[in-house]
Amino acid sequence: MAEAVAAAAARLDAAGIPDARREARILLVAALNTDAAGLLRQTEIDPALLAPLLARRVAREPMAYILGRREFWGLSFAVTPAALIPRPDSETLLEAALAARPDRTTVRRILDLGTGTGCLLLAALTEFGDAYGIGVDLWPAAAALAQRNAVALGLGPRAAFLASDWAAALDARFDLVLCNPPYITSPELAGLMPEVARYEPRAALDGGADGLDAYRAVLAALPALLAPGGVAVLELGAGQAPAVMALAEPGFIATPRPDLSGQDRALILRIPEPRK
């Protein structure tokens, strides 16, 4: 087993993949359909079992696509190239939503714009136990993936998913709107790490020339989507908080929330109450 790990790690390291030994073990566990304890019990390993997975990772395909799963908010989500891979940074949106709506019983309708795997909406439904949610994605394959995740997590009866250009197909108001929009500037896309640039869906990454195209569309739609007292939480790219806040104000009260690294990662939006 040690020899197989060392050989696989050497190939991964040569491909420029960090933490190559850990990744080699993960691939071996997947190839052998076992777990970490089971891997330790292996003595002879057929290299042919590992070869297809190792070749995919050496080509810089994301590990999550190879394994077909990624954890988010303590939940396991199926992932495919139809949607972005859930990232820990996005959990800041849920933390912000819980802080903005501490009385969880008052949240009955949740909307997730650009739902992808459905991770934001489905995680939110586990926290807001009285809520029903709708997830919207431009691509039918992503909406179908999110629906499968909802069923797998036992949340199928509380969630619906549809393909639409943002809120174009909606005629309803929501207590909580979540959105992780495309926010990478078009010129920056080619310089992203290969796992992202080559494999993740470009439409879910490309925010236009200044990275703000999706924010403009979402902010324009929000007044018709938010119920009285409703809150929207948008994910932010690095350094984008001032620009997005400038777009949002004065129509919204905008409050940034940092992630664990101290970077403003989420923007909480409320519509100001009319002056009496």
Side-chain angles (χ1 to χ4, degrees), residues 147-243:
Q147 183 65 60
R148 293 198 298 273
N149 277 322
V151 172
L153 292 168
L155 295 167
R158 296 176 54 206
F161 297 90
L162 58 103
S164 173
D165 186 1
W166 297 119
L170 298 173
D171 183 18
R173 292 184 179 269
F174 299 85
D175 304 305
L176 175 62
V177 177
L178 301 168
C179 181
N180 179 11
Y183 53 67
I184 308 296
T185 68
S186 301
E188 291 176 315
L189 290 173
L192 296 174
M193 60 190 301
E195 284 85 347
V196 179
R198 296 178 191 170
Y199 291 96
E200 297 201 66
R202 184 185 180 95
L205 297 164
D206 191 347
D210 62 359
L212 301 176
D213 284 359
Y215 293 108
R216 294 185 182 97
V218 171
L219 289 168
L222 278 179
L225 293 172
L226 285 173
V231 171
V233 185
L234 312 183
E235 182 159 333
L236 299 169
Q240 286 183 319

Side-chain angles (χ1 to χ4, degrees), residues 3-138:
E3 293 80 2
V5 170
R11 286 194 60 189
L12 294 169
D13 186 63
I17 296 171
D19 207 358
R21 289 189 67 85
R22 182 183 68 86
E23 294 223 354
R25 291 190 184 92
I26 292 171
L27 289 173
L28 274 167
V29 165
L32 298 171
N33 193 27
T34 185
D35 55 20
L39 183 62
L40 293 174
R41 293 192 292 268
Q42 298 291 326
T43 54
E44 297 291 331
I45 295 175
D46 182 356
L49 293 174
L50 178 61
L53 301 186
L54 184 59
R56 291 169 67 183
R57 189 66 186 106
V58 166
R60 302 300 291 267
E61 183 175 350
M63 183 69 81
Y65 287 158
I66 296 171
L67 301 180
R69 306 207 69 80
R70 170 60 67 89
E71 184 175 299
F72 181 85
W73 203 252
L75 305 170
S76 180
F77 289 87
V79 295
T80 75
L84 286 182
I85 298 166
R87 289 162 166 79
D89 287 345
S90 297
E91 294 186 352
T92 306
L93 274 71
L94 295 167
E95 295 166 357
L98 292 168
R101 299 302 302 261
D103 184 352
R104 302 186 189 188
T105 64
T106 63
V107 175
R108 297 301 184 94
R109 292 163 294 178
I110 303 175
L111 173 64
D112 180 17
L113 292 171
T115 196
T117 61
C119 63
L120 284 174
L121 176 60
L122 297 173
L125 290 176
T126 67
E127 298 291 343
F128 297 97
D130 296 324
Y132 179 86
I134 294 177
V136 177
D137 201 282
L138 181 63

